[in-house]
Amino acid sequence: MNQNKAEIIAVGTELLLGQIANTNAQWISEQLALYGLNVFYHGVVGDNLTRVKDTFALANERSDVVIVTGGLGPTDDDLTREAFQLISGFNMIEHKPSMEKIEAFFAKHHSIMTPNNRKQARVFEEAIVVNNKVGMAPGMLVHYNDTIWIFLPGVPREMKAMMLEEVLPILRKELQLSEIIKSYVLRFIGIGESKLEHELKEIIDQQDNPTIAPLAQTNGVIIRLTVKAKEEEEAIIKLEQTKEKILAKVGKYYVGMNDETVEKAIINRLRMLNYTIASAESVTGGKFIEKIISVSGASDVCIGSIVCYDKSLKRDILHVSDEILESHGTVSSECALEMSKNVAHKLSSNVGISFTGVAGPNSVEGKPVGTVYISVYIKNKNHLVERFEFTGDRNGIRQRAVQKGFEILLNLLK
């Protein structure tokens, strides 16, 4: 493993104000980790020349690679170049190809280019210019006092393209980054972090390469497998072998890998079975269907939802019988089952799922806060209703209900 220390600095007051999240640093760290380059520091500094200069000076003392995002635009508060010039003394020149690109952009859009746009084409005379194929401001790579400095735009789509196409290949060559680090994220639902760790204790105790790191999240538990290898093929073989050992122990809780969320897994399963789904939501207020339709391709399997918060809607729209509503109430297994069946029939869907319960602040029909009934109905197949007692605040109870609905549904579809 190389011992180069990398640092990432984001320039922009909007980041300090919380108006924009600093997602660039996270993404860059992930990319550098793939090549075994250690990121030791993340920093954010506002649009102030003195503070930017001081931040750069500190980074130059402690880091071997510094990647700066932001502050390369045309306005007076874009100060990255000026701040670095103060500590390096490097001359700046106008990069002709970049200037021609900027002029062509304004000509194409029949706009008048203001003089300050020329600032975006200014680069250090000593720099390797990093071409910006997505936007206008070029990036730069320079060497100063044994530190590699990389300057990139703050716009994520521009920065990412430049990193992948030019910066990372240059760094890998200059720093001789032969070792790669590759990770799998395995997703599980219906099992807590402590139980998962207990089930995998023998495997975890023997871990070396890959390493195994369980981590609880709001939407389940993940295991991050991380391996070091010389080549990607070797890394994948080691990861797959460890994944097989883990699934042999806890495979029944497995959802998917990397970005395959439980919502995606359900949609894929519905598509494979040639099923469609509809929901009837009272306590969750549409949160279940919102998460389903946030997945690309959901329209293949998702019919829709009826949000039936009031008792009258359960009766008049979903046709839950007066007998059930009067004898058992809206917060009951009988009502939940009728809701799931009737929404499937009403919306001509193979699968119906329903949620009814009490999120608070007060009890309903004698049922305490946190009581939730979830029912899943699969036409001409089977159905179930389960009662839960969730804890937490109002929104937390609703979120937990949705997550438990996903778990029940995925298990039934399996």
Side-chain angles (χ1 to χ4, degrees), residues 261-278:
T261 61
V262 65
E263 302 96 281
K264 289 183 180 180
I266 286 171
I267 287 174
N268 291 337
R269 195 74 184 172
L270 289 167
R271 190 182 288 121
M272 186 182 73
L273 294 168
N274 199 27
Y275 282 177
T276 55
I277 188 170

Side-chain angles (χ1 to χ4, degrees), residues 3-8 37-42 62-63:
Q3 293 302 313
N4 291 299
K5 298 178 183 179
E7 180 164 349
I8 301 167
L37 184 55
N38 301 296
V39 177
F40 278 55
Y41 307 101
H42 280 187
R62 67 188 183 185
S63 299

Side-chain angles (χ1 to χ4, degrees), residues 284-299:
T284 50
K287 284 182 174 291
F288 172 86
I289 209 70
E290 191 280 330
K291 292 200 78 171
I292 286 287
I293 64 177
S294 68
V295 178
S296 177
S299 59

Side-chain angles (χ1 to χ4, degrees), residues 223-253:
I223 289 177
R224 182 180 294 276
L225 303 180
T226 305
V227 69
K228 301 170 187 175
K230 294 294 183 184
E231 300 293 338
E232 185 168 10
E233 184 178 359
E234 177 193 351
I236 290 173
I237 289 172
K238 289 183 176 181
L239 288 169
E240 288 291 337
Q241 289 172 343
T242 305
K243 176 186 171 184
E244 287 179 13
K245 291 178 183 178
I246 290 171
L247 296 189
K249 295 273 191 181
V250 291
K252 67 179 180 179
Y253 304 106

Side-chain angles (χ1 to χ4, degrees), residues 55-76:
T55 301
F56 287 177
L58 176 61
N60 198 74
E61 290 176 5
R62 67 188 183 185
S63 299
D64 304 299
V65 178
V66 182
I67 299 177
V68 181
T69 62
L72 298 179
T75 61
D76 289 342

Side-chain angles (χ1 to χ4, degrees), residues 83-220:
F84 188 72
Q85 187 179 42
L86 288 176
I87 68 168
S88 68
F90 288 168
N91 292 324
M92 279 194 281
I93 59 172
E94 186 172 279
H95 186 240
K96 187 175 180 182
S98 295
M99 193 64 247
E100 290 174 348
K101 180 181 178 181
I102 294 169
E103 290 172 336
F105 172 85
F106 282 95
K108 180 180 178 181
H109 291 84
H110 306 289
S111 300
I112 297 174
M113 187 186 82
T114 55
N116 60 353
N117 277 283
R118 303 194 75 92
K119 180 180 176 182
Q120 294 185 93
R122 290 177 64 76
V123 300
F124 296 115
E125 195 170 13
E126 298 83 352
I128 297 172
V129 177
V130 181
N131 186 34
N132 187 347
K133 296 179 182 177
V134 181
M136 287 192 282
M140 293 177 280
L141 186 150
V142 297
H143 293 80
Y144 175 65
N145 284 1
D146 298 322
T147 298
I148 299 174
W149 283 81
I150 298 155
F151 301 94
L152 298 170
V155 180
R157 66 179 183 276
E158 298 179 25
M159 177 276 295
K160 289 178 181 180
M162 297 161 81
M163 279 289 294
L164 292 173
E165 293 174 15
E166 296 193 45
V167 174
L168 287 172
I170 292 173
L171 283 179
R172 190 173 188 186
K173 182 178 179 181
E174 288 208 12
L175 300 176
Q176 298 180 334
L177 303 175
S178 57
E179 187 175 59
I180 67 167
I181 297 178
K182 190 172 181 66
S183 294
Y184 277 3
V185 174
L186 309 182
R187 300 184 181 276
F188 300 85
I189 195 169
I191 184 171
E193 182 184 13
S194 59
K195 184 179 179 182
L196 183 70
E197 194 166 339
H198 175 74
E199 295 289 332
L200 300 176
K201 187 177 187 308
E202 184 179 344
I203 299 174
I204 293 173
D205 288 346
Q206 296 173 359
Q207 69 176 323
D208 177 29
N209 188 30
T211 58
I212 303 169
L215 178 66
Q217 297 189 323
T218 56
N219 55 351

